[in-house]
Amino acid sequence: MEDATASASPRLAPTVKETRNGSRLEEFRMKQDVLPFSAFLTDKHGRQHNYLRISVSERCNLRCTYCMPEEGVPLTPSSKLLSATEVVRVAKLFASQGVDKVRITGGEPLLRKDLPRIIEQLHEMNLKSIGITTNGILLPRLLPELISSGVTAINISLDTLIPQKFEKISRRPPSAWYKVWKGIKMAEKLDPQKYTLKLNCVVQGGINDDEICDFVALTKDQRIDIRFIEYMPFSGNKWDVAKMVSYQQMVDTIRKVYPDFQKLEDPWNHTAKAFRIPGHVGQVGFITSMSEHFCGGCNRLRITADGNLKVCLFGNAEVSLRDAMRDGASDEKLLSLIGDAVQRKHPKHAGMLNLAKMENRPMILIGGHHQLLRSFSTTKLDNNNNNNNPDSPSSTTTSSSLSHVDSRGKAQMVDVSEKKVTTREAVAEATVNLSHETFQAVADNKMKKGDVLTVAQIAGIMGAKHTSNLIPLCHPLPLHKVDVNLELNYERRCVIIRALAKTTAMTGVEMEALTAATVAALTIYDMCKAMGHSITITDIKLIKKSGGKSDYSLKQ
Ligand SMILES: Nc1nc2c(ncn2[C@@H]2O[C@H](COP(=O)(O)OP(=O)(O)OP(=O)(O)O)[C@@H](O)[C@H]2O)c(=O)[nH]1
Ligand SMILES: C[S@@+](CC[C@H](N)C(=O)[O-])C[C@H]1O[C@@H](n2cnc3c(N)ncnc32)[C@H](O)[C@@H]1O
Ligand code: SF4
Ligand code: SF4
């Protein structure tokens, strides 16, 4: 997976130093004068956050399987949700710092009765775009009022064109599908010059991937853009890699029916990759959060319905603006909380398979009270939620001197985001000692289970790729090369395995090389054990590593 971070960063913001009393306002103020965009909203990777997503409701009139856990979600008492006045205050503050795009989401935002009033006040802030993302059920009733209150971008979610299937996906009767469809049809016609219209479709293998081309066909005559969303993992949604249909698979499916399906240029900070079919009115887009993240151009921050600022969709780090506001915080104090949180934003999400293992709010709540929440007043976002999560706060805030242990003695993954990206290489070795008979069978390729050396070589490569899943505090890394060589040593009757791993990243690959050698050795054991168990695996060791702060070479 390519990391777009480096190329997309227009300029690096200077790092804000930790100060003992926690007040960094002065430092932010000084940076305001030199940065081209708000210092509070520019992260240390140079990303300028001009897009704010505000969730205004945790409730929903659907129960989509990919979004809501089956048992539902605990709702925050309404007194703890942001009031319209608080929503508007937060939006105004962000707008004062350069946010020019706000999208209202949820839960289902149309369930919020004061929504048109909120939008009217957003409209007075001279934003470039005021969007809403809705399941569309209440659109037939509310569309005219939404338009007149100033909405400029309506995204409607619909995952199937078959009413009966809608029941399976949304756990609500097919009659609800007809309401959504009516809303879509109304939106296609009503005041089209006033707002853009997109249809969001989460694609799941074996559920609705057979409808991809039917959705594409909708773009022929109608002014609607269809966006296919890769299925993402959130707490409780039983995500399974087998159900995730990748962007590339979807493009391949569409090209079978529409061979001239054309890729368009994408603005660098857009969530979707855009395509069109010549002659069609609408476009087709893909939101590839899983197979090709777009974190390098991320310009998004979000406010949850209970008033937490969440700097990344896939991060647990949250800071309560609600508590701060209700404790009487001034706008400056709020800005400094926001600035601190933005500074801690990590360059990208944890990678597809790691995301599936992370705890995060269910999607419906990203948009109550939850065990993962951190309040600004309790701690400075501390280190106790580092479960392979790149959005966990930096280890620089810990008082512990042990890098893999936090202040409470719990294991933590070291924050390497400050380290330099360099090309790093490591070579590791392992030896498998065999009996005479077994050694001969391996050498003659006569083992019953198959070609031992080839299988072990592939196992070694696979092992390297899985290292971060096996070693708890090991960082997931992009591997650019893994080489596993197996040499038969006739004198010592052993197989010597040498594994090389290479990356260009912020941390090294010795664990990958060691894992490759070890897994290859275990595979030889497994392939040969039927001939006797007098097999030993010895001398698993690092031979050399280079490219990091300290190079190493084993003296032999
Ligand atoms: N990885 C990632 N995915 C996001 C983010 N924001 C939105 N998405 C994905 O985009 C999907 C559609 O989101 P929408 O609410 O329609 O917002 P949008 O795509 O930003 O809307 P536009 O303003 O039309 O670009 C969501 O379901 C997510 O799958 C984000 O910040 N990170
Ligand atoms: C959480 S919903 C909130 C707004 C509104 N209720 C709706 O459905 O449009 C926002 C978007 O997130 C998408 N979404 C929810 N869970 C998802 C998941 N697991 N993977 C990908 N997209 C998801 C929905 O399809 C929808 O387009
Ligand atoms: S995706 Fe939207 S409509 Fe479906 S359950 Fe989640 S919040 Fe509700
Ligand atoms: S996963 Fe996080 S960093 Fe990546 S695009 Fe989404 S919000 Fe931005």
Side-chain angles (χ1 to χ4, degrees):
M1 199 189 300
E2 193 186 81
D3 178 8
T5 312
S7 58
S9 298
R11 129 173 212 186
L12 283 184
T15 319
V16 179
K17 278 197 231 104
E18 297 278 343
T19 56
R20 278 212 163 262
N21 66 11
S23 164
R24 305 187 192 165
L25 205 52
E26 239 356 271
E27 294 179 62
F28 279 120
R29 278 209 203 98
M30 278 157 56
K31 288 201 312 175
Q32 278 297 65
D33 297 337
V34 292
L35 287 179
F37 189 75
S38 165
F40 299 99
L41 303 187
T42 303
D43 70 11
K44 62 185 178 197
H45 313 288
R47 293 173 298 190
Q48 302 170 357
H49 295 85
N50 67 327
Y51 176 4
L52 184 67
R53 297 173 64 89
I54 307 178
S55 171
V56 294
S57 169
E58 291 181 350
R59 291 190 303 127
C60 190
N61 37 12
L62 295 183
R63 294 286 181 274
C64 303
T65 52
Y66 52 73
C67 173
M68 276 255 215
E70 206 161 353
E71 64 280 10
V73 291
L75 295 177
T76 305
S78 55
S79 62
K80 296 205 161 166
L81 299 176
L82 289 191
S83 66
T85 310
E86 288 167 329
V87 169
V88 170
R89 178 176 173 195
V90 169
K92 241 186 211 155
L93 191 62
F94 277 90
S96 75
Q97 294 302 307
V99 160
D100 55 10
K101 173 172 176 177
V102 170
R103 178 167 288 283
I104 301 290
T105 177
E108 175 47 39
L110 298 192
L111 289 174
R112 177 125 180 184
K113 297 229 161 34
D114 53 6
L115 184 64
R117 305 292 84 73
I118 293 174
I119 294 176
E120 273 166 15
Q121 293 181 72
L122 292 175
H123 190 58
E124 286 166 13
M125 294 175 203
N126 281 326
L127 300 164
K128 280 195 191 140
S129 170
I130 304 173
I132 185 157
T133 303
T134 169
N135 63 28
I137 304 237
L138 295 174
L139 265 187
R141 181 145 57 84
L142 297 176
L143 184 62
E145 198 179 0
L146 286 174
I147 298 171
S148 59
S149 58
V151 157
T152 64
I154 300 181
N155 295 354
I156 306 173
S157 305
L158 184 68
D159 307 310
T160 178
L161 299 173
I162 304 166
Q164 286 68 26
K165 204 191 276 186
F166 184 83
E167 185 168 17
K168 194 170 165 192
I169 298 173
S170 71
R171 305 191 188 106
R172 285 294 179 266
S175 55
W177 182 92
Y178 288 97
K179 291 182 185 161
V180 182
W181 193 246
K182 187 172 170 193
I184 293 171
K185 292 288 133 195
M186 261 178 89
E188 279 171 351
K189 305 218 163 61
L190 200 62
D191 291 329
Q193 70 291 354
K194 290 194 175 160
Y195 56 98
T196 60
L197 186 59
K198 297 178 189 168
L199 202 152
N200 286 340
C201 171
V202 177
V203 178
Q204 294 182 79
I207 307 271
N208 61 348
D209 53 341
D210 56 334
E211 294 186 63
I212 290 175
C213 290
D214 299 336
F215 273 102
V216 171
L218 298 178
T219 62
K220 186 164 192 307
D221 305 313
Q222 300 298 340
R223 64 150 195 134
I224 193 163
D225 293 345
I226 308 291
R227 295 187 315 164
F228 296 109
I229 305 177
E230 287 178 348
Y231 177 31
M232 303 187 293
F234 293 98
S235 289
N237 80 350
K238 301 196 178 137
W239 185 86
D240 176 356
V241 70
K243 267 206 221 154
M244 202 209 75
V245 183
S246 72
Y247 155 56
Q248 203 48 58
Q249 288 168 309
M250 294 190 238
V251 170
D252 291 348
T253 302
I254 296 170
R255 287 224 163 103
K256 281 186 194 138
V257 178
Y258 300 98
D260 48 0
F261 193 49
Q262 282 173 357
K263 172 100 182 63
L264 304 172
E265 280 290 307
D266 295 313
W268 67 278
N269 59 359
H270 270 209
T271 46
K273 296 182 172 54
F275 284 71
R276 68 185 281 275
I277 294 162
H280 281 213
V281 180
Q283 291 184 3
V284 175
F286 299 90
I287 299 182
T288 62
S289 308
M290 305 306 293
S291 68
E292 282 185 32
H293 72 77
F294 34 83
C295 305
C298 184
N299 61 346
R300 285 165 289 279
L301 298 171
R302 37 183 38 86
I303 306 290
T304 59
D306 55 348
N308 279 7
L309 168 66
K310 196 169 165 70
V311 293
C312 175
L313 178 61
F314 288 113
N316 291 331
E318 299 184 3
V319 60
S320 176
L321 300 183
R322 176 202 63 200
D323 290 353
M325 286 191 283
R326 293 184 187 179
D327 284 350
S330 64
D331 281 357
E332 283 218 315
K333 171 71 188 166
L334 290 177
L335 277 177
S336 113
L337 287 171
I338 293 165
D340 281 352
V342 169
Q343 284 299 308
R344 284 189 291 261
K345 179 158 169 166
H346 279 250
K348 61 184 178 187
H349 69 54
M352 188 165 98
L353 294 174
N354 290 314
L355 287 179
K357 287 181 278 176
M358 266 174 58
E359 242 192 299
N360 192 3
R361 289 178 180 230
M363 184 59 159
I364 188 162
L365 294 183
I366 298 184
H369 180 72
H370 194 262
Q371 56 183 357
L372 299 167
L373 303 193
R374 300 273 171 277
S375 152
F376 90 97
S377 52
T378 47
T379 63
K380 222 171 7 151
L381 290 175
D382 57 12
N383 298 328
N384 53 7
N385 57 357
N386 283 339
N387 47 359
N388 256 4
N389 167 17
D391 206 40
S392 305
S394 145
S395 58
T396 52
T397 57
T398 182
S399 58
S400 167
S401 58
L402 299 174
S403 65
H404 286 66
V405 175
D406 72 9
S407 52
R408 299 174 316 143
K410 299 263 182 196
Q412 70 168 354
M413 192 171 172
V414 175
D415 182 346
V416 294
S417 56
E418 301 287 350
K419 290 172 79 174
K420 261 203 206 140
V421 173
T422 55
T423 297
R424 295 154 187 262
E425 224 177 86
V427 177
E429 207 176 91
T431 303
V432 187
N433 306 289
L434 303 169
S435 68
H436 176 75
E437 204 189 352
T438 309
F439 182 83
Q440 211 49 56
V442 173
D444 297 339
N445 196 7
K446 289 207 169 125
M447 199 60 73
K448 273 209 182 113
K449 276 195 171 175
D451 181 346
V452 176
L453 299 180
T454 305
V455 176
Q457 184 191 28
I458 294 168
I461 295 169
M462 297 296 294
K465 293 203 278 187
H466 283 279
T467 305
S468 66
N469 296 330
L470 297 169
I471 316 287
L473 304 180
C474 191
H475 296 84
L477 292 175
L479 282 175
H480 301 314
K481 184 176 171 72
V482 179
D483 224 336
V484 178
N485 272 302
L486 295 98
E487 179 197 314
L488 288 167
N489 186 317
Y490 285 80
E491 243 172 49
R492 288 164 49 201
R493 269 195 279 109
C494 63
V495 184
I496 299 174
I497 303 158
R498 267 205 171 206
L500 170 140
K502 194 170 175 185
T503 186
T504 300
M506 292 165 179
T507 187
V509 277
E510 67 195 82
M511 292 313 299
E512 282 70 9
L514 284 162
T515 306
T518 310
V519 171
L522 287 170
T523 305
I524 294 178
Y525 185 105
D526 182 49
M527 299 282 290
C528 299
K529 65 183 190 288
M531 288 190 70
H533 290 93
S534 61
I535 306 167
T536 57
I537 297 174
T538 58
D539 298 304
I540 297 174
K541 59 194 174 196
L542 182 70
I543 302 295
K544 65 172 188 174
K545 69 176 218 175
S546 61
K549 213 162 86 186
S550 51
D551 287 356
Y552 169 84
S553 188
L554 181 73
K555 291 194 179 66
Q556 304 201 65

